[in-house]
Amino acid sequence: KAGVTQTPRYLIKTRGQQVTLSCSPISGHRSVSWYQQTPGQGLQFLFEYFSETQRNKGNFPGRFSGRQFSNSRSEMNVSTLELGDSALYLCASSIDGTAEAFFGQGTRLTVV
Amino acid sequence: EDQVTQSPEALRLQEGESSSLNCSYTVSGLRGLFWYRQDPGKGPEFLFTLYSAGEEKEKERLKATLTKKESFLHITAPKPEDSATYLCAVQGSGGSNYKLTFGKGTLLTVNP
């Protein structure tokens, strides 16, 4: 059974640019969540999608957005990148958002 | 707001030296408490879900327990391959809450 797949694994972007990250959940999982992980703040919740609808959003600025497609795959977008956006971005999938969540390997974003 | 505090921040053990990690939490109605293991540069790996006080779960050298205010991850006779960061997370049952709130983690090092 394939796990959660995130692409790309690594990204280097310049301040002011935008970036799109992709996540393919485990087959049959309809809930996809996104988290930002930094050494100082740990794992922080960005947003959660279920059946193409955003159900929860964390305390991040509007530059962070996401969407989910009909096949449950999800993307997140960060516009006008800042140095502080450098982090490991993790995607997690769950059957319905209340059961255990399984994480992908993450996308390491570096903003220079 | 849900809160999770993990202690200690770091723990160094000798191979075979048993110990426990602590996770204290506050949440308005607990839907579930989750333990994850994270290796450097990788996404968190799911270990256990606990739902109610008094519940216990075991997997190899790990045993997780839950009370109304905290959870413990007991490590019996650890091996060097158990070295990792152990993360605790809670999900509250209030409203449409589908996010996980994580602690900062405990960095476990097991020396041979």
Side-chain angles (χ1 to χ4, degrees):
Chain A
K1 187 175 182 180
V4 179
T5 303
Q6 291 189 245
T7 57
R9 288 294 312 278
Y10 303 93
L11 269 177
I12 299 177
K13 290 287 188 179
T14 304
R15 271 182 303 174
Q17 288 187 313
Q18 73 167 18
V19 67
T20 299
L21 312 181
S22 180
C23 172
S24 293
I26 293 170
S27 178
H29 285 194
R30 296 170 65 189
S31 168
V32 173
S33 299
W34 289 89
Y35 293 83
Q36 180 195 68
Q37 186 174 32
T38 58
Q41 298 298 318
L43 275 129
Q44 293 189 291
F45 173 77
L46 281 157
F47 26 66
E48 188 263 357
Y49 288 88
F50 181 83
S51 293
E52 302 179 67
T53 299
Q54 186 184 88
R55 297 193 295 188
N56 280 158
K57 190 177 191 309
N59 297 323
F60 280 83
R63 300 185 296 107
F64 292 81
S65 62
R67 59 178 175 169
Q68 187 181 34
F69 302 95
S70 58
N71 61 358
S72 294
R73 190 178 70 85
S74 178
E75 290 181 346
M76 69 163 282
N77 182 276
V78 188
S79 62
T80 319
L81 284 166
E82 300 177 359
L83 295 178
D85 296 334
S86 295
L88 181 65
Y89 288 88
L90 292 160
C91 164
S93 81
S94 164
I95 289 175
D96 60 4
T98 64
E100 51 267 18
F102 297 88
F103 284 82
Q105 296 286 50
T107 294
R108 172 71 63 184
L109 172 65
T110 302
V111 182
V112 297
Chain B
E1 186 177 326
D2 303 341
Q3 289 189 324
V4 177
T5 303
Q6 291 188 246
S7 61
E9 290 185 11
L11 180 62
R12 190 178 293 271
L13 300 173
Q14 288 299 121
E15 184 172 2
E17 180 186 2
S18 301
S19 188
S20 297
L21 312 182
N22 178 264
C23 170
S24 298
Y25 65 91
T26 56
V27 64
S28 54
L30 180 68
R31 177 176 281 155
L33 184 141
F34 305 86
W35 282 98
Y36 288 87
R37 167 197 170 125
Q38 187 174 27
D39 293 303
K42 296 190 174 182
E45 174 190 347
F46 171 76
L47 293 174
F48 303 108
T49 307
L50 301 168
Y51 294 104
S52 57
E55 189 174 1
E56 299 183 351
K57 291 207 175 158
E58 287 189 66
K59 178 181 179 179
E60 297 180 355
R61 295 177 293 282
L62 300 177
K63 179 180 176 180
T65 61
L66 181 65
T67 72
K68 289 186 177 181
K69 293 185 177 180
E70 57 191 351
S71 177
F72 292 93
L73 185 65
H74 306 279
I75 303 176
T76 302
K79 298 181 178 181
E81 52 262 43
D82 294 323
S83 297
T85 296
Y86 289 85
L87 297 165
C88 172
V90 297
Q91 186 177 59
S93 59
S96 56
N97 184 358
Y98 301 100
K99 71 175 185 180
L100 295 178
T101 299
F102 281 84
K104 295 286 180 68
T106 293
L107 175 60
L108 174 66
T109 304
V110 182
N111 295 316

